[in-house]
Amino acid sequence: MWPVLHPQQDKTSFNLYSHAIAMDLEPPSLRLLITMNLGFWGVQIGNGLQTAHASAVFESLGAEASQLPMLWLGAPLMGLIAQPIVGELSDRTVSRWGKRQPYFLGGAVIGAAMLVAMPMATSLIQAVVLYWLLQLALNVSVAPSRPFVGDLLSPAHRTLGYALQGFCIGLGTICAAGLPWILEHVFRLEPVSHLGIPDVIRGAYWVGAAVCLVGSLATFWAVDEPAQVSLADEARLPMLEAIAQAITALPPIMRQLAMVQALSWAGIYCIFLYLPNAIALNVLATPDRSLASYTHRVEWAGLCIAFYNLVCLGVSWAIPSLSQRWGRVTVHACCLMAGSVGLLSLLLVHSRYPVLLSMVGLGIAWASILAIPYSLLMDDLAEGQSGVYMGIFNGFITLPQIAMSLGFGWVMKTMLQDNRLWALALGGILLGLAALLMLRVPEPARAGENGAISTLAPAPK
């Protein structure tokens, strides 16, 4: 993100700002787009392993379906705590390695270690503790990645930048979901294990740890962050006070997107919790988890997750041009509705291949969820505050998921009768409501439509 001018900043800041105006019309290089996302892709393989296999790991070690929301509480809780704090810290960090990358790399290193350790758990409590530590590390790594795009790309190119992050999330999830199938059929690992967690799942976690670490190191060494312009130390509030002040002064677009984000990610959380086993146990009607057919159907569910992320890859490339033509608000609303239809259609599916049709709608929604809200928000943020506000924005994702983790187990047991497929249908309803609310958000001016200078003008404070 190009620096906003403040009265106390010197002539160097003005020269950098003037240079930014000229650079706004120049597209980012392919090398920059690739290298800035290598580490993010590696971290998303770790996230993808949790999405595709955490519930299966927990159930392999004795967890019941109604217990899964509570066991998954670590993901949103760690995000709620870590992301605003790391975002604010990265906003104020000045170092020879940049202000975002030290946190990005540190989280990735710890996350890789947790990925190695988690599938070695021999009891449910061990798996849950390692899962929570893994989520903390991954959130420390992800927190600076959103403002990192704003730091490196001008406003006219940020929708492309966030669409590419969505592409990397989809590609990382494809790799994570497909790894067990590859390890079984290519490297001949056993699909079952007497220790609880199948060998193919254990191997997938270890491969994911290696990619997470190598990708993050590649980004760290290949990408130089922009010159850092910071206010004097006395001009900054203490960290927690700065976060509290930011919460009381949310940008208008963040307030408008709050409920859309909450409903969208509550629906996505249903997918995270129940999609793999809903496909294996409900759609494909596997009678017993101890059978090899259960592992094969969980692998098929992983391939379904890979497929909807493959759809996400294709849609991610189309989002910038679609948004330019129809507007980001309209495109996002349509994509959310496609996801709603995809989840609800699973109620009508009873065999393998029609599941893939349902995954198309889910992939369309996923691509938009990962790109457009962040692009809308970043255009409304002032320099020096993008990290903390991106962290606070994550609260609209994590708070609904925390509420679901605490209360959805009761809903599953008493209202949905532990039927995972009904939980996915509820997720579809939530995505549909989010789509309708999105239509109430006013369409902002498109980046660049008033010229380079106007798109780089400081956000009002």
Side-chain angles (χ1 to χ4, degrees):
M1 188 175 190
W2 304 115
V4 172
L5 294 179
H6 296 277
Q8 61 266 48
Q9 291 177 329
D10 59 18
K11 188 166 69 175
T12 302
S13 302
F14 178 79
N15 291 337
L16 182 59
Y17 180 75
S18 301
H19 179 64
I21 295 175
M23 290 293 291
D24 185 57
L25 299 178
E26 298 182 14
S29 68
L30 180 61
R31 178 182 180 275
L32 174 63
L33 292 174
I34 293 174
T35 55
M36 68 184 281
N37 283 302
L38 280 175
F40 187 75
W41 168 66
V43 170
Q44 292 310 315
I45 289 181
N47 270 328
L49 287 166
Q50 302 311 301
T51 302
H53 305 299
S55 290
V57 167
F58 292 150
E59 292 197 35
S60 295
L61 294 171
E64 299 294 333
S66 60
Q67 295 176 312
L68 292 179
M70 185 63 72
L71 299 180
W72 272 69
L73 180 62
L77 186 60
M78 293 300 102
L80 182 66
I81 295 171
Q83 293 212 22
I85 293 175
V86 174
E88 171 63 21
L89 287 173
S90 71
D91 281 342
R92 62 177 69 204
T93 294
V94 177
S95 76
R96 59 181 293 188
W97 301 286
K99 62 181 182 178
R100 312 292 184 194
Q101 296 216 68
Y103 302 95
F104 188 79
L105 180 61
V109 170
I110 299 172
M114 294 301 103
L115 284 169
V116 171
M118 184 176 168
M120 299 174 68
T122 56
S123 69
L124 181 59
I125 186 64
Q126 289 179 7
V128 171
V129 170
L130 290 169
Y131 171 78
W132 281 48
L133 292 174
L134 173 60
Q135 288 301 325
L136 175 61
L138 293 179
N139 274 285
V140 169
S141 189
V142 167
S145 64
R146 297 296 187 184
F148 190 54
V149 170
D151 294 341
L152 293 174
L153 302 181
S154 63
H157 303 113
R158 285 182 189 142
T159 299
L160 171 63
Y162 288 115
L164 286 177
Q165 280 199 340
F167 180 91
C168 289
I169 292 173
L171 184 59
T173 306
I174 288 173
C175 295
L179 272 173
W181 187 92
I182 294 172
L183 291 174
E184 179 185 351
H185 292 89
V186 177
F187 294 95
R188 304 300 179 186
L189 268 66
E190 291 295 325
V192 295
S193 173
H194 299 296
L195 298 178
I197 300 173
D199 291 345
V200 291
I201 303 298
R202 186 178 291 110
Y205 272 76
W206 293 345
V207 173
V211 177
C212 176
L213 183 59
V214 172
S216 298
L217 286 170
T219 292
F220 184 79
W221 291 114
V223 178
D224 293 324
E225 293 191 47
Q228 301 170 60
V229 180
S230 63
L231 300 178
D233 290 340
E234 60 270 14
R236 301 214 66 138
L237 296 171
M239 181 188 67
L240 295 180
E241 186 177 346
I243 294 173
Q245 184 181 75
I247 292 173
T248 63
L250 298 179
I253 190 65
M254 187 183 291
R255 294 194 296 269
Q256 294 160 0
L257 289 172
M259 188 54 66
V260 176
Q261 285 290 90
L263 290 173
S264 299
W265 282 91
I268 293 296
Y269 202 49
C270 293
I271 299 168
F272 290 170
L273 287 171
Y274 295 114
L275 181 62
N277 278 334
I279 292 174
L281 298 173
N282 297 94
V283 175
L284 302 181
T286 306
D288 190 344
R289 291 191 187 92
S290 65
L291 300 175
S293 61
Y294 167 71
T295 300
H296 293 151
R297 288 171 181 179
V298 169
E299 288 176 2
W300 173 254
L303 293 177
C304 290
I305 293 172
F307 180 76
Y308 86 67
N309 279 277
L310 184 63
V311 174
C312 170
L313 300 190
V315 176
S316 293
W317 287 109
I319 279 178
S321 58
L322 292 174
S323 298
Q324 187 68 25
R325 180 171 183 178
W326 303 107
R328 287 175 287 183
V329 169
T330 302
V331 170
H332 191 46
C334 292
C335 290
L336 289 173
M337 190 58 70
S340 174
V341 172
L343 283 177
L344 289 171
S345 68
L346 285 172
L347 294 172
L348 306 176
V349 175
H350 305 289
S351 59
R352 286 192 176 201
Y353 294 103
V355 175
L356 299 178
L357 294 177
S358 300
M359 296 298 102
V360 172
L362 188 53
I364 292 171
W366 190 225
S368 184
I369 287 170
L370 296 174
I372 290 180
Y374 301 100
S375 173
L376 289 168
L377 176 61
M378 195 70 193
D379 287 351
D380 208 32
L381 297 181
E383 174 67 19
Q385 294 181 306
S386 57
V388 65
Y389 274 118
M390 282 292 182
I392 294 169
F393 195 52
N394 188 64
F396 300 129
I397 298 171
T398 57
L399 285 173
Q401 294 180 348
I402 289 172
M404 290 182 67
S405 291
L406 295 174
F408 201 70
W410 178 85
V411 173
M412 275 292 289
K413 186 170 283 291
T414 61
M415 301 179 65
L416 302 180
Q417 284 128 33
D418 277 341
N419 190 312
R420 300 165 186 82
L421 202 52
W422 291 358
L424 293 180
L426 177 60
I429 293 172
L430 294 173
L431 287 177
L433 291 175
L436 295 177
L437 286 178
M438 189 65 195
L439 293 174
R440 301 180 61 184
V441 177
E443 183 72 54
R446 294 169 185 167
E449 79 178 0
N450 295 321
I453 294 179
S454 66
T455 60
L456 286 170
K461 306 235 1 189

